[in-house]
Amino acid sequence: MAKDGKLLYLLTALENLGSIFQNRLQSRTALAAGGLTDVADGEIINSR
């Protein structure tokens, strides 16, 4: 556990990990241009 009690959880497809390690986390717009796999529920994303 983090010393300050704060943690970050990320749900992603395994095939995205290489890109995350190389390019860090990016916006959905940038990801769509790069062809990465989105595992999010589209209905949840659209309701935000």
Side-chain angles (χ1 to χ4, degrees):
M1 180 175 238
K3 290 182 181 182
D4 61 3
K6 296 178 182 179
L7 300 172
L8 172 68
Y9 292 91
L10 172 69
L11 297 176
T12 191
L14 288 176
E15 56 265 20
N16 293 345
L17 287 179
S19 177
I20 291 171
F21 292 142
Q22 289 179 350
N23 305 308
R24 302 181 192 174
L25 292 175
Q26 299 181 15
S27 69
R28 289 188 176 283
T29 303
L31 294 175
L36 295 179
T37 303
D38 190 352
V39 298
D41 183 326
E43 288 185 34
I44 293 173
I45 298 302
N46 290 334
S47 69
R48 291 184 177 173

